[in-house]
Amino acid sequence: MVHDSRGLRNIGISAHIDAGKTTLTERILYYTQRIHKVHEVKGKDGVGATMDSMDLERERGITISSAATHCRWKGHRINIIDTPGHVDFTIEVERALRVLDGSVLVLCAVGGVQSQSFTVDRQMSRYKVPRLAFINKCDRVGANPGRVVDQLRQRLNHNAVLMQIPLGLEANLSGIIDLVSMKAVYFQGNYGEKVVTAEIPSHLIEEARAKREELLDAASMFSDELMEAIFEEKVTEALIEEAVRKGTLLRQLTPVFLGSAYKNQGVQLLLDGVTKYLPSPPEVENIALDLDHERAPVILSPDPAMPFVALAFKLEVTPYGQLTYLRLYQGSLRKGDDIYNTRNRKKIKVGRLVRMHANEMEDIQEAFAGDILALFGVDCFSGDTFTDGKANYAMTSMLVPDPVISLAVKPKDNKAGAQMAKALGRFVKEDPTFRSFVDPESGETIISGMGELHLEIYVERMRREFEAEVETGMPQVAYREAISQRADFNYTHKKQTGGAGQYGRVEGFMEPSETGLFEFVNQIKGGAIPTEYIPALEKGFQSCLEKGLVLGFPVLGTKVTIIDGQYHPVDSSELAFRQAAVGAFKHAYRNAKPVILEPIMKVSVECPSDFQGSVMGSISQRRGTIMSSAEDGVFTAIDAEVPLAEMFGYATTLRSLTQGKAEFTMEFSRYARVPEAIGEELKKKHAENTRGRKR
Amino acid sequence: MMKEFTQRSALRMLERSDEKGLGRGNLGVLVARAGVGKTACLIHIAFDKIFQNGKVVHISLQDGPDKISAYYNVILSELMKAFRFKDDRETRSLMEKNRMILAYLNQSFELRRLRENLKNLSEKAGFKADTLVVDGLDFSKTGAETFEAFKTLAREYQVEIWFSALAHRHIAEVNERGIPYPCNSLDHFFNIILQLEPAAGSGIQIKLLKDHERPVTPEDALILDPSTFLTLV
């Protein structure tokens, strides 16, 4: 069967929280007839938007978990991943961008480019995702799409070009003028489902012509034919569309659409834009790593006849079992096929193959390269690669940031304990930035993640979805340790307790590594330590890095070089050398002047300019460093770096400082040394806790 | 690296006058046509101060902080490459510690706001500027009263202020003191006036047109490397 994926679009919808992306998605589903009734986010009907499939999301009016959905528009198939707006859930956004071919960046016509827009845009650039912009909420008081376009250019460095201008603004928004067809478009019917085209009102013709000139100028940079046609005054819609598409796919042009999803204005034209300007799967290069050939990069072909390769990018628990979302990159998949997980080489039989629509599903028999679909009952982790067994490929691993915050959780009773374990097992599989472990010293269960809200949501989900009532401790920062200078070691591990003894001596030095990673260098000559024991030494040193000796946090960036040693023909063993490494590490670590590192967050605050001083003061009080301040009209965006330890409760502080008019986002930036006085305090506290546990 | 940088910085040219540079309370300007490297040269001036542990506020009237910050990073990388210096966190930290970017987008620049921002930086964030660099001010639309106000600000905050001014190929006006458009009617506000021009080959010539009260000579010119803005030796 010949399968053509050129009519397929895999798109994400990303935005700052409250820019209206869930409402936009809801309208898209309505116009593409996937749903037959419109519900609003926090709607009065108590139903909530279709894409917010979790109760919690409905209650908070935010989208936590991406829901995938599939729809059709004018002969094209569109897979949409609705992505969350809060930075604490960026792994969801990152995953979505990894598997998508294009994206719509939703911006609020009043708020414009806000702090979260920066984060989302950076992520899109990282995954080289071509995008369109949709300036939503043009019906709101203060809507200024022209200003938002300027912000796209100045603040996000986009070559943004208006494809449309609004017919009226704020309460007078009555339609859209399409600058390609030079027609006025009106949206009639209860939900704007009837699209009516008419001539541009005379009072807007001049403005439309001027803006069309700008569009032609920008688009002609990507098409000589269009350039010629402009000179000869023979411009056609097809020529403009082709040039805009070329610029968009090169990520050198961002077409900007306008409207108001809530007021049913402009969404259908945006859908046209998605099909016209965003790429189909064959137009995007995807690379896998060949595990049989030293992870050599392999360009995947969207050909359905090629060996099957797919990435599991999302897991979800449903009442029917685990649902695994797959993006097919190469080959095809049929119900009943055997596929292999390249991580553990486990064979899996494909039972049910479904196409998702938020939390409803449609059974399908087969899927092809480019498709996004879901499988039932597949035991795997998010990020696993599946093949047909012929190719041993791994899709480029997704960038998974380390957790920066942790929290102790304690079940209220035995029943809750069992449920909590079940919930944690599930969450860990679903979300690679969420971790859980039992602290062997305190016996407490610790959960860690990307921010306070991230963990809060999981605690809430434990209660709601798994009926696990838990108590939580105070959030703890994920500190790190690192050595700051070279230290030598020469350690002998000797044990004679009856039976075979243990003997191993190792000599060398440890120093900070330039790469920031663990490095192990073997400079032993003449077989002072037989080669079979070297891996045990490496493992021994590496195991010590899991828990530093200052505060018990992982040790970053250490290079260990071994230069000499000694073995015993009878008493030496892998275990003995492993122990020797542990002893050597303990011996040298203190001399290597270990320091404590803390996570530094990149914090972006947006506030009315009058509050700039108070916000700067609040950042400075938190040991923050202000990097920049950008005024734009009456708003100021302040970027700073602040230690995570100082950020607890900042939302409340900011609210009271600015009468609730400011907002902030933060994401992990790097680890940095803690000031000495704070380091001493942390050590004191750690010592007290250790003593307390011993008692 | 910082010592080598200081030795090869074009600003050493300014040490021939008694003031040994622009000096606190004074204004300086860099005139050039579009695309010659005004912003890069201003950033070079900023690095000269930063490496001597001075605090610099970069005021941008056109580009956002991300773009300016990226510009600084690129120039710093070029400098490190030129001096075969290891790219380390310490040098970047020094840059971040001593530099502040204030952007005023979409015509939102007002001297009143700048004054308030400088006060906030000093009082609330402990960042007391030594030098301001102002990039993107449209000289053709800026009246004498604005420069008068900048002069007052420079004296009041005891900072030196460097501007960039855009010259146009088609406007060849030069005043009797040899100062070209757009500074020809404003030169009395500036203690130092520098001109950047493309030089033969791929270099850039920096010429001193005014240096306090000292009469300038044709020797007050240097050829700079276009990527690092260091003097070519």
Side-chain angles (χ1 to χ4, degrees):
Chain A
M1 177 192 157
V2 179
H3 175 76
D4 190 357
S5 56
R6 280 175 301 181
L8 178 62
R9 299 289 179 274
N10 290 316
I11 64 158
I13 298 181
S14 308
H16 186 92
I17 196 160
D18 277 345
K21 60 190 177 302
T22 303
T23 307
L24 173 66
T25 313
E26 192 71 0
R27 291 302 187 277
I28 290 176
L29 296 183
Y30 180 72
Y31 298 134
T32 55
Q33 297 179 338
R34 295 301 310 188
I35 56 171
H36 303 287
K37 207 170 173 191
V38 164
H39 306 290
E40 307 305 340
V41 180
K42 284 181 179 167
K44 285 177 195 146
D45 55 9
V47 181
T50 307
M51 291 293 279
D52 288 335
S53 53
M54 282 192 235
D55 289 348
L56 197 56
E57 293 180 24
R58 287 184 189 184
E59 190 175 289
R60 294 192 180 201
I62 57 170
T63 317
I64 298 161
S65 205
S66 320
T69 202
H70 176 265
C71 60
R72 285 173 189 272
W73 182 251
K74 295 186 181 171
H76 288 79
R77 293 190 296 125
I78 303 174
N79 284 314
I80 305 169
I81 300 278
D82 185 30
T83 51
H86 195 283
V87 80
D88 277 351
F89 306 105
T90 37
I91 192 67
E92 295 276 0
V93 183
E94 301 247 358
R95 276 181 194 159
L97 297 178
R98 175 70 183 81
V99 298
L100 294 172
D101 303 320
S103 190
V104 176
L105 179 63
V106 186
L107 299 158
C108 169
V110 185
V113 172
Q114 291 159 291
S115 47
Q116 177 70 24
S117 318
F118 282 99
T119 314
V120 169
D121 198 67
R122 265 201 299 272
Q123 288 160 338
M124 287 198 206
S125 297
R126 193 183 299 149
Y127 291 107
K128 297 180 180 163
V129 180
R131 52 260 205 201
L132 311 179
F134 180 68
I135 302 177
N136 194 19
K137 302 192 180 182
C138 286
D139 60 307
R140 291 277 180 97
V141 176
N144 187 347
R147 189 175 132 255
V148 183
V149 173
D150 285 342
Q151 289 178 340
L152 268 168
R153 290 176 186 147
Q154 292 181 333
R155 298 176 71 176
L156 298 181
N157 294 327
H158 278 254
N159 182 15
V161 61
L162 277 171
M163 304 298 292
Q164 310 166 328
I165 56 171
L167 258 163
L169 266 181
E170 302 180 345
N172 297 323
L173 178 73
S174 60
I176 300 291
I177 295 173
D178 179 4
L179 300 175
V180 178
S181 65
M182 284 301 269
K183 293 277 180 204
V185 187
Y186 299 92
F187 306 88
Q188 297 172 350
N190 286 343
Y191 290 102
E193 63 276 10
K194 205 173 147 205
V195 180
V196 178
T197 308
E199 292 307 317
I200 300 173
S202 55
H203 68 284
L204 286 169
I205 281 187
E206 273 316 302
E207 190 191 343
R209 280 190 187 138
K211 291 291 176 194
R212 181 180 158 96
E213 280 300 307
E214 283 179 23
L215 165 63
L216 292 180
D217 271 355
S220 61
M221 301 309 289
F222 304 97
S223 161
D224 292 342
E225 269 180 290
L226 177 63
M227 187 97 75
E228 257 171 51
I230 294 170
F231 286 129
E232 292 167 9
E233 296 188 353
K234 288 180 181 164
V235 175
T236 62
E237 286 183 31
L239 276 175
I240 304 174
E241 285 169 4
E242 194 189 315
V244 171
R245 179 173 170 78
K246 202 169 162 199
T248 310
L249 297 198
L250 287 168
R251 288 179 292 114
Q252 290 170 12
L253 190 73
T254 307
V256 181
F257 294 79
L258 309 165
S260 162
Y262 183 63
K263 294 281 178 189
N264 313 308
Q265 299 282 335
V267 178
Q268 293 95 324
L269 299 187
L270 174 70
L271 275 169
D272 289 345
V274 165
T275 58
K276 280 177 189 166
Y277 306 121
L278 289 180
S280 66
E283 289 169 298
V284 179
E285 185 181 90
N286 286 296
I287 288 171
L289 303 174
D290 188 345
L291 301 178
D292 291 338
H293 293 93
E294 293 174 338
R295 302 176 76 81
V298 183
I299 296 175
L300 297 175
S301 159
D303 185 352
M306 293 284 285
F308 164 80
V309 181
L311 174 75
F313 67 94
K314 183 174 169 59
L315 308 182
E316 228 175 48
V317 197
T318 71
Y320 315 102
Q322 182 178 296
L323 196 59
T324 304
Y325 286 83
L326 284 188
R327 154 84 200 237
L328 270 63
Y329 286 97
Q330 183 175 279
S332 55
L333 184 66
R334 274 164 208 86
K335 201 173 155 181
D337 278 356
D338 288 331
I339 58 172
Y340 292 81
N341 184 336
T342 51
R343 183 174 52 83
N344 53 18
R345 306 297 302 155
K346 262 192 187 166
K347 187 168 92 172
I348 292 152
K349 194 158 202 75
V350 177
R352 242 179 113 186
L353 211 53
V354 293
R355 191 165 274 153
M356 291 308 295
H357 159 222
N359 50 8
E360 287 165 24
M361 61 187 77
E362 168 200 346
D363 277 274
I364 53 171
Q365 297 303 311
E366 57 186 347
F368 301 94
D371 262 337
I372 287 175
L373 55 103
L375 300 181
F376 261 108
V378 174
D379 186 23
C380 70
F381 283 90
S382 185
D384 281 353
T385 303
F386 287 93
T387 68
D388 60 356
K390 287 179 201 152
N392 190 19
Y393 292 163
M395 294 304 300
T396 325
S397 65
M398 286 186 279
L399 196 77
V400 178
D402 274 337
V404 290
I405 183 173
S406 62
L407 195 67
V409 286
K410 201 172 142 191
K412 283 194 175 152
D413 50 40
N414 282 349
K415 187 187 159 227
Q419 287 301 96
M420 183 180 88
K422 217 164 133 185
L424 293 179
R426 178 62 61 199
F427 299 157
V428 167
K429 277 190 171 182
E430 275 180 30
D431 178 355
T433 58
F434 178 82
R435 318 260 166 94
S436 145
F437 64 96
V438 176
D439 183 339
E441 282 167 24
S442 64
E444 284 175 322
T445 300
I446 310 291
I447 58 172
S448 53
M450 300 314 296
E452 270 177 298
L453 183 59
H454 188 206
L455 296 184
E456 239 173 62
I457 293 289
Y458 278 115
V459 169
E460 197 63 31
R461 280 186 63 190
M462 275 190 240
R463 289 194 182 118
R464 286 175 186 235
E465 292 170 32
F466 293 84
E467 289 170 1
E469 284 299 322
V470 294
E471 284 167 358
T472 56
M474 283 294 288
Q476 300 293 322
V477 172
Y479 290 100
R480 294 288 182 268
E481 295 180 22
I483 55 171
S484 62
Q485 66 176 42
R486 174 182 155 142
D488 296 341
F489 54 78
N490 185 354
Y491 186 82
T492 307
H493 174 71
K494 205 168 19 174
K495 215 169 175 190
Q496 197 70 55
T497 48
Q502 286 182 29
Y503 184 87
R505 182 177 77 83
V506 62
E507 189 183 339
F509 56 90
M510 63 164 85
E511 61 192 330
S513 83
E514 281 180 18
T515 56
L517 302 168
F518 170 65
E519 291 175 57
F520 182 77
V521 181
N522 175 13
Q523 286 182 358
I524 290 178
K525 303 226 164 61
I529 300 175
T531 42
E532 73 232 51
Y533 298 137
I534 302 295
L537 277 170
E538 184 174 353
K539 271 184 201 150
F541 281 111
Q542 210 168 357
S543 70
C544 296
L545 301 180
E546 287 165 14
K547 209 163 183 184
L549 303 174
V550 181
L551 293 184
F553 285 102
V555 183
L556 297 182
T558 307
K559 182 177 175 182
V560 175
T561 305
I562 52 168
I563 54 172
D564 200 6
Q566 211 173 1
Y567 75 104
H568 186 277
V570 179
D571 291 347
S572 283
S573 62
E574 281 187 11
L575 178 70
F577 273 103
R578 204 175 157 134
Q579 287 304 109
V582 172
F585 178 86
K586 284 185 178 165
H587 183 72
Y589 192 66
R590 297 273 173 203
N591 295 335
K593 294 246 158 65
V595 291
I596 303 164
L597 306 176
E598 61 180 340
I600 303 292
M601 311 302 281
K602 187 178 179 324
V603 176
S604 301
V605 185
E606 279 198 356
C607 61
S609 299
D610 294 344
F611 294 109
Q612 189 211 39
S614 323
V615 172
M616 280 185 171
S618 72
I619 291 169
S620 289
Q621 278 167 10
R622 291 176 151 70
R623 295 194 283 126
T625 308
I626 293 156
M627 312 300 284
S628 67
S629 158
E631 295 205 5
D632 190 350
V634 293
F635 272 90
T636 293
I638 299 165
D639 280 345
E641 286 196 334
V642 190
L644 174 67
E646 307 287 339
M647 287 303 289
F648 297 133
Y650 188 60
T652 317
T653 308
L654 195 62
R655 246 193 318 271
S656 66
L657 274 179
T658 62
Q659 301 159 5
K661 290 177 183 161
E663 54 179 55
F664 83 102
T665 58
M666 64 174 183
E667 61 178 310
F668 174 72
S669 166
R670 62 195 165 86
Y671 276 100
R673 215 161 152 163
V674 297
E676 215 157 297
I678 293 173
E680 287 309 315
E681 224 171 88
L682 288 168
K683 283 182 208 168
K684 218 168 110 190
K685 222 170 172 182
H686 175 68
E688 276 168 18
N689 287 344
T690 314
R691 271 198 302 274
R693 276 202 288 268
K694 277 181 185 159
R695 272 204 292 273
Chain B
M1 180 184 107
M2 288 151 209
K3 203 174 148 199
E4 285 170 294
F5 172 86
T6 316
Q7 281 166 0
R8 283 187 57 197
S9 165
L11 291 192
R12 298 294 76 75
M13 185 167 67
L14 306 179
E15 289 175 357
R16 293 177 198 162
S17 71
D18 293 343
E19 282 76 6
K20 305 269 179 230
L22 181 56
R24 291 178 190 270
N26 295 330
L27 312 185
V29 63
L30 196 71
V31 191
R33 288 203 307 261
V36 179
K38 284 185 299 297
T39 304
C41 198
L42 274 186
I43 291 176
H44 183 95
I45 293 173
F47 272 124
D48 193 77
K49 307 293 170 191
I50 288 168
F51 289 158
Q52 294 177 61
N53 239 334
K55 302 256 186 221
V56 176
V57 176
H58 186 117
I59 298 149
S60 170
L61 275 57
Q62 272 171 354
D63 298 317
D66 277 3
K67 198 163 175 182
I68 299 297
S69 164
Y71 224 145
Y72 271 83
N73 286 333
V74 168
I75 292 176
L76 183 61
S77 299
E78 289 291 340
L79 288 173
M80 285 174 170
K81 227 182 346 179
F83 294 118
R84 295 195 177 84
F85 195 79
K86 203 174 71 193
D87 193 342
D88 66 345
R89 181 72 219 161
E90 216 172 291
T91 315
R92 292 199 183 266
S93 293
L94 179 77
M95 173 181 80
E96 285 162 8
K97 196 181 88 190
N98 288 339
R99 179 207 63 197
M100 179 70 58
I101 300 170
L102 294 182
Y104 298 88
L105 306 174
N106 294 315
Q107 284 85 45
S108 54
F109 179 71
E110 278 175 54
L111 259 163
R112 177 188 64 84
R113 287 297 308 158
L114 174 62
R115 192 176 279 275
E116 208 166 302
N117 293 163
L118 291 175
K119 190 166 163 256
N120 283 337
L121 283 177
S122 166
E123 290 175 4
K124 310 277 185 177
F127 192 97
K128 200 172 172 313
D130 297 300
T131 303
L132 310 186
V133 294
V134 182
D135 194 17
L137 183 70
D138 187 345
F139 272 49
S140 65
K141 291 181 186 157
T142 308
E145 65 288 353
T146 304
F147 289 103
E148 193 65 61
F150 268 116
K151 192 94 185 169
T152 311
L153 182 103
R155 287 193 194 119
E156 197 182 314
Y157 281 83
Q158 276 302 292
V159 289
E160 51 177 47
I161 309 181
W162 280 98
F163 295 87
S164 63
L166 177 67
H168 292 287
R169 195 187 291 268
H170 60 281
I171 308 178
E173 290 167 24
V174 177
N175 69 13
E176 62 280 13
R177 294 173 294 281
I179 307 299
Y181 173 89
C183 301
N184 49 347
S185 58
L186 300 163
D187 57 342
H188 54 289
F189 288 113
F190 299 101
N191 296 71
I192 289 180
I193 301 176
L194 292 165
Q195 189 178 32
L196 279 184
E197 278 179 335
S202 62
I204 290 172
Q205 188 189 48
I206 185 163
K207 215 158 61 177
L208 192 52
L209 303 181
K210 182 177 177 183
D211 186 7
H212 300 277
E213 302 307 320
R214 182 180 75 89
V216 290
T217 64
E219 285 73 55
D220 289 318
L222 290 168
I223 302 293
L224 306 177
D225 179 307
S227 52
T228 58
F229 279 79
L230 293 171
T231 51
L232 284 174
V233 283

